[in-house]
Amino acid sequence: MAIYTLPELPYDYAALAPVISPEIIELHHDKHHAAYVKGANDTLEQLEEARDKESWGSINGLEKNLAFHLSGHILHSIYWQNMTGDGGGEPLQADGVGDLADAIAESFGSFAGFKAQLTKAAATTQGSGWGVLAYEPVSGRLVVEQIYDHQGNVGQGSTPILVFDAWEHAFYLQYKNQKVDFIDAMWAVVNWQDVAKRYAAAKERAYNLLLVP
């Protein structure tokens, strides 16, 4: 029985055009994201078999595969919700996301400073990866992370609340090799309501991750 399942998109394939074409959304969700879900479930089955047989020769590869596929599934699940055809701009008190706006200003000095850092982090990933805004529970601040593949270079305990996919499959059919153009365009579809909800939820759960009681 599958543990992980592919979530449905919260909009149709054309909802994010012209920033992201319907063809990319369909391929990205139905093929690439689906492959990470299958990979995570297959790896769990292989780990169960290894336990049953007490055969640990492939444990390093299996643990790496689980981290890769599971992280890919989680980040993509956030990615779809982080976007909306009615998004963009910046978080504002008037839109009911003032707490997020204040946290961004406190953590990065200004929205402009945050936007520049996340844009550069996503656009300069070496090979495949992500630019991520995450809540770091020890300091209680927001941080930008540059993630390699889906799981490398991540601060332990941090919770992603806004993710920019910088893998080529996310943009190449439309933007060719101009990754920075894609990242710049992404700001027009950010769903700040979703990001704000994730920020609030991450703060509520933070006490479970603190290093001291």
Side-chain angles (χ1 to χ4, degrees):
M1 180 177 179
I3 301 298
Y4 301 107
T5 58
L6 181 67
E8 293 185 4
L9 287 171
Y11 34 70
D12 62 40
Y13 295 138
L16 303 179
V19 173
I20 308 178
S21 70
E23 182 183 15
I24 287 179
I25 295 294
E26 182 176 5
L27 288 171
H28 196 168
H29 176 267
D30 296 2
K31 301 298 182 181
H32 291 280
H33 189 172
Y36 300 129
V37 172
K38 183 178 186 304
N41 286 322
D42 288 350
T43 305
L44 287 178
E45 291 181 3
Q46 292 163 11
L47 284 165
E48 181 180 6
E49 182 179 356
R51 291 192 301 272
D52 291 343
K53 296 181 177 180
E54 295 188 1
S55 176
W56 303 111
S58 60
I59 185 64
N60 288 344
L62 290 174
E63 295 290 358
K64 183 177 180 180
N65 285 345
L66 182 60
F68 176 83
H69 290 295
L70 179 54
S71 295
H73 171 43
I74 290 171
L75 288 172
H76 280 93
S77 296
I78 298 170
Y79 181 64
W80 306 124
Q81 299 292 333
N82 271 173
M83 298 183 291
T84 174
D86 299 322
E90 63 181 276
L92 299 172
Q93 184 75 40
D95 297 326
V97 292
D99 286 349
L100 173 64
D102 291 344
I104 288 174
E106 180 179 353
S107 298
F108 301 99
S110 66
F111 177 79
F114 152 68
K115 182 178 179 180
Q117 184 177 345
L118 181 55
T119 297
K120 290 296 184 182
T124 61
T125 50
Q126 295 175 324
S128 301
W130 300 71
V132 172
L133 174 66
Y135 177 77
E136 196 284 292
V138 177
S139 66
R141 295 174 64 86
L142 295 173
V143 297
V144 165
E145 296 177 334
Q146 188 180 56
I147 297 178
Y148 295 106
D149 292 334
H150 303 304
Q151 77 281 17
N153 221 27
V154 179
Q156 296 299 316
S158 62
T159 301
I161 64 173
L162 173 62
V163 300
F164 281 8
D165 193 341
W167 281 63
E168 284 191 345
H169 65 239
F171 64 88
Y172 199 86
L173 288 177
Q174 186 173 354
Y175 293 86
K176 307 307 180 188
N177 64 335
Q178 298 302 311
K179 183 190 295 186
V180 67
D181 290 346
F182 170 64
I183 300 303
D184 284 340
M186 276 288 299
W187 290 101
V189 294
V190 173
N191 184 348
W192 292 115
Q193 297 293 330
D194 181 70
V195 179
K197 290 177 183 177
R198 294 180 187 280
Y199 171 61
K203 286 198 301 180
E204 289 179 3
R205 295 194 300 265
Y207 72 91
N208 290 323
L209 296 171
L210 293 179
L211 300 181
V212 294

